[in-house]
Structure formats: structure tokens, C-alpha cells
């Protein structure tokens, strides 16, 4: 979030825009995070569950407890990332299930039937349910520099804060590798086995995928990529300046369409909104589309938005999904790099 004081409608607009939601120390052979913000530090030693626990988050706040947290309540995407490291949360808030009770994309591999859902939509946070879980800690992400905890309603934030300490991981204006490393350190502090075969393999896969994307971008410098998000009335074109995934992809050499400076300024730096009549304003060879539930997906646009159907990238079948709020585990982020690399390697120049 670019501004913690934004009104609810404006925040919903940003929530709907792919560039707003991502949206570190880069891999030596895979990218650079020069100019990115300091992520702070956290414990990297494997937790002793019988001893004290502490973790310094990206607000510079150090949470200290007598023992490793057992009752963890987290934003859904954070819970999904911790799950990939073998750390199970007790409750979640944020997009968790969609119609029919199926897991939301942000739930990853979590078994949503085994967690208590405190709130499933923006503005929902059942404080009574939260208190009933006897939470040891609340963990979520942050989309601004003000320390605003994502999906924790501002109007009830003080009440929520009295029930348990919180940990915030920043996903604002930095490359993907940085919050990935922070979540890795957090999971390790919570007792995750970072030597487990799955964890080691996922990290290696991510490194390999990053090298592949760098190579693909270098070999195809003229391929233009546009990150978009669709609603019934507006098509959002995301900028690369603030989103963790796009900042990282750009650092690896991907050639992105950028919104105009004036448009980005109007949205706090995140995106440009276009009417469907003007959706062809920017020329692109590949379109990455917001995969979250609140965004219209390409199948829903086909035949319904004639200007969408006429886009060269759409006609060429060069549309791929994008996760503006990536699940911060190497297991879930490696495929994001692989999919984009493959798209660039095989794309035809159509713009």
C-alpha cells in the first residue's frame, strides 16, 4: 500500500490492481536489489521450542516470547508460505476460500478445512474468533513504509494488537528475493527444518529458474511484457517500481511495458487504469494477468470484451497468469519465474 491513510474505496481499487500487490539480497548469479530498502534482520537459527523466541520484523519491531509460538494466526498467503516450510498456522485471515469452499489461489497447498478463518474478504476480521484461538503471534505482510499490517482492519487494529504481538514482513518497493529470504528466516525461527529435501530442492529450483529467466530475457530483449489486471470497467496496467515480483523480473532483464508517469502518480506509483476502449494503448507481446479471485480471468474476458480479443498478444495466445501477491516460499515462487521464462523463450514478436 502506498499510503496507510487511503480511504477504503481507494484501497479496494489498489487491491484490485495487479501492480499494487506483489506485488532482497539478490542471488549472486540471478539479480540485484541495489536501491531496495533494508529488510531488517531476524533469527536464522533453528528454534529451540522449549526456550525463548524472538524475531525482528521489517518495522524494526522485535517480538519476544517465552517459547516458540504454537498458536499462529496469519494472513492467508503467509500461512501458505509457512505451510511449505512445515510450519502450520492455527488461523488465517484474507482470501482463503472461493465459491463452493474451494481454496483461494492465495491459500496455496494449505488444507483450508484445518484452519480457522477469521475473515475471508477485505475488511473482515472476527475479533472474537481471533481471541478464541489464544494467539501467540499474528503474522502478515506490509504494502507501505508506515507499518500497516495487510488485511488487519485499521478501525480495529488497536483491539487486535492487544490480543497478541504482530510480525510484519514488507513486500513494498523491493525485489522478490528479499521478502523470500525474510520468510525463510521467519520459518526457520519457528522450527522449520531448512535441511529437509523439499526445502533444499525448492531453493535450488528457484535459483535455476532465476538464471533461466535472465538468460531468456537477454536472448529476447525486444519481447515486451505487460502486467495487467481486469475488472468489469477497468483494465489496470501495473508498473514495476513497487511490486516485488515485477521489480525482480525487471532486474533479471525482462522488458516491461510501463504506465505513464502521470498515471502512476495518480495511483501512488502502482498502476495505470484504462477503459476497455483504450486497452490497446500499450503494445505488448506477452500479457501477464492477475490470477487472484477478485480479478476477471482471461476466459471470462474472451467474447465479452471485444477490445481484449483484438490485442495481438491475446490473438497469439501469449497470455500467462501472474501472482501479484506471491506466496513467499521458494516452492511457490520458482514456477513464477519458470512460466515467464518459457513465455519469453517461445513468444512471437507481435507488437
Amino acid at each position: 500500500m502506498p499510503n496507510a491513510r487511503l480511504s477504503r474505496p481507494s484501497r479496494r481499487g489498489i487491491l484490485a490492481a495487479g501492480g499494487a500487490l506483489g506485488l532482497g539480497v539478490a542471488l549472486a548469479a540471478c539479480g540485484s536489489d541495489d536501491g531496495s530498502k533494508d529488510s531488517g534482520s531476524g533469527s536464522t537459527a533453528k528454534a529451540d521450542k522449549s526456550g525463548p523466541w524472538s524475531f525482528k520484523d521489517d518495522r524494526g519491531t522485535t517480538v519476544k516470547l517465552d517459547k516458540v509460538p504454537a498458536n499462529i494466526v496469519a494472513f492467508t498467503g503467509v500461512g501458505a508460505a509457512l505451510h511449505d516450510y512445515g510450519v502450520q498456522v492455527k488461523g488465517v485471515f484474507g482470501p482463503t476460500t472461493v465459491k463452493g469452499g474451494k481454496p483461494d489461489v492465495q491459500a496455496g497447498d494449505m488444507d483450508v478445512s484445518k484452519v480457522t478463518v477469521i475473515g475471508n474478504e477485505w475488511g473482515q476480521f472476527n475479533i472474537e474468533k481471533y481471541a478464541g484461538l489464544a494467539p501467540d503471534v499474528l503474522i502478515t505482510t506490509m504494502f507501505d513504509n508506515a507499518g500497516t499490517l495487510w488485511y488487519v482492519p485499521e478501525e480495529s487494529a488497536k483491539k487486535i494488537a492487544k490480543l497478541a504481538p504482530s510480525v510484519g514482513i514488507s513486500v513494498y518497493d523491493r525485489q522478490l528475493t528479499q521478502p523470500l529470504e525474510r520468510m525463510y528466516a521467519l520459518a526457520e525461527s519457528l522450527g522449520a527444518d531448512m535441511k529437509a529435501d523439499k526445502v533444499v530442492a525448492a531453493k535450488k529450483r528457484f535459483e535455476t529458474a532465476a538464471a533461466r529467466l535472465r538468460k531468456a530475457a537477454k536472448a529476447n530483449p525486444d519481447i515486451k511484457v505487460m502486467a495487467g489486471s481486469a475488472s468489469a470497467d477497468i483494465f489496470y496496467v501495473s508498473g514495476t517500481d513497487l511490486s516485488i515480483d515485477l521489480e525482480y523480473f525487471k532486474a533479471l532483464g525482462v522488458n516491461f511495458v510501463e504506465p505513464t508517469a502521470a498515471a502512476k502518480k495518480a495511483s501512488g506509483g502502482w498502476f495505470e487504469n484504462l477503459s476497455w476502449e483504450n486497452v490497446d494503448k500499450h503494445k505488448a507481446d506477452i500479457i501477464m494477468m492477475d490470477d487472484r479471485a477478485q480479478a476477471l480471468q482471461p476466459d471470462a474476458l474472451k467474447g465479452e470484451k471485444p477490445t481484449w480479443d483484438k490485442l495481438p498478444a491475446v490473438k497469439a495466445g501469449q497470455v500467462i497468469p501472474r501472482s501479484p501477491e506471491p506466496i513467499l516460499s521458494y516452492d511457490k515462487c520458482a514456477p513464477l519465474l519458470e512460466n515467464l521464462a518459457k513465455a519469453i523463450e517461445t513468444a512471437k514478436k507481435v507488437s
Side-chain angles (χ1 to χ4, degrees):
M1 296 295 298
N3 189 331
R5 300 294 181 184
L6 288 175
S7 66
R8 183 171 176 176
S10 296
R11 292 186 74 171
R12 280 189 176 277
I14 288 178
L15 181 65
L21 304 177
L23 32 314
V25 178
L27 299 167
C30 305
S32 168
D33 67 346
D34 291 345
S36 66
K37 307 302 181 292
D38 181 10
S39 67
S41 62
S43 170
T44 57
K46 187 173 180 180
D48 177 356
K49 295 195 175 187
S50 63
W53 179 84
S54 68
F55 189 86
K56 184 178 180 181
D57 76 358
D58 291 342
R59 298 169 297 182
T61 300
T62 300
V63 177
K64 297 181 179 181
L65 299 173
D66 293 336
K67 60 181 180 178
V68 175
N71 294 347
I72 302 170
V73 176
F75 173 68
T76 302
V78 171
L82 293 176
H83 173 84
D84 286 345
Y85 290 119
V87 177
Q88 305 305 318
V89 302
K90 195 169 185 179
V92 295
F93 54 94
T96 307
T97 59
V98 294
K99 190 174 181 180
K102 294 182 179 180
D104 186 275
V105 65
Q106 295 190 64
D109 294 332
M110 270 196 310
D111 185 342
V112 296
S113 70
K114 294 183 178 180
V115 294
T116 298
V117 180
I118 305 299
N120 196 49
E121 298 178 4
W122 182 260
Q124 291 182 353
F125 195 107
N126 189 315
I127 298 178
E128 290 184 359
K129 272 189 177 182
Y130 178 58
L133 293 176
D136 294 322
V137 66
L138 178 149
I139 308 174
T140 187
T141 49
M142 301 181 297
F143 282 89
D144 61 20
N145 280 331
T148 307
L149 299 176
W150 190 234
Y151 265 81
V152 175
E154 291 181 61
E155 61 273 15
S156 52
K158 289 183 179 179
K159 291 182 179 179
I160 293 168
K162 291 178 180 179
L163 295 172
S166 60
V167 168
I169 300 297
S170 181
V171 289
Y172 174 74
D173 194 13
R174 59 201 63 208
Q175 292 179 27
L176 176 61
T177 45
Q178 195 170 346
L180 266 175
E181 289 171 358
R182 297 291 288 131
M183 192 64 69
Y184 183 98
L186 176 59
E188 187 173 21
S189 81
L190 293 168
D193 180 4
M194 295 330 207
K195 294 182 180 179
D197 290 345
K198 178 183 177 181
V199 174
V200 173
K203 196 169 188 294
K204 177 61 178 177
R205 180 183 175 187
F206 179 89
E207 293 169 356
T208 301
R212 178 184 174 185
L213 180 55
R214 179 189 284 280
K215 182 179 179 180
K218 185 176 181 179
N220 301 277
D222 295 332
I223 295 297
K224 295 281 287 184
V225 180
M226 180 167 66
S229 184
S231 70
D233 301 316
I234 298 174
F235 183 83
Y236 300 89
V237 178
S238 302
T240 60
D241 294 338
L242 301 177
S243 298
I244 58 173
D245 61 329
L246 302 185
E247 279 202 15
Y248 185 51
F249 300 158
K250 181 171 67 173
L252 293 175
V254 177
N255 184 6
F256 278 102
V257 167
E258 292 286 356
T260 63
K264 287 198 292 185
K265 184 177 180 181
S267 69
W270 290 104
F271 57 86
E272 177 178 10
N273 55 344
L274 300 175
S275 67
W276 281 103
E277 290 76 12
N278 296 314
V279 74
D280 61 351
K281 176 180 177 179
H282 299 288
K283 307 304 179 184
D285 303 296
I286 296 170
I287 302 177
M288 302 175 70
M289 289 294 287
D290 186 345
D291 67 356
R292 293 169 299 166
Q294 70 265 34
L296 293 178
Q297 300 304 306
D299 286 349
L301 300 174
K302 186 177 180 180
E304 295 296 324
K305 300 292 184 183
T307 51
W308 165 262
D309 293 332
K310 292 178 182 178
L311 292 176
V314 175
K315 291 196 292 184
Q318 296 176 176
V319 178
I320 64 172
R322 175 198 170 208
S323 299
E325 292 184 75
I327 294 172
L328 296 172
S329 70
Y330 290 106
D331 181 73
K332 293 299 181 292
C333 287
L336 307 182
L337 277 69
E338 292 168 346
N339 292 342
L340 180 54
K342 181 180 179 181
I344 293 174
E345 289 164 352
T346 59
K348 297 178 181 178
K349 183 67 181 174
V350 294
S351 64

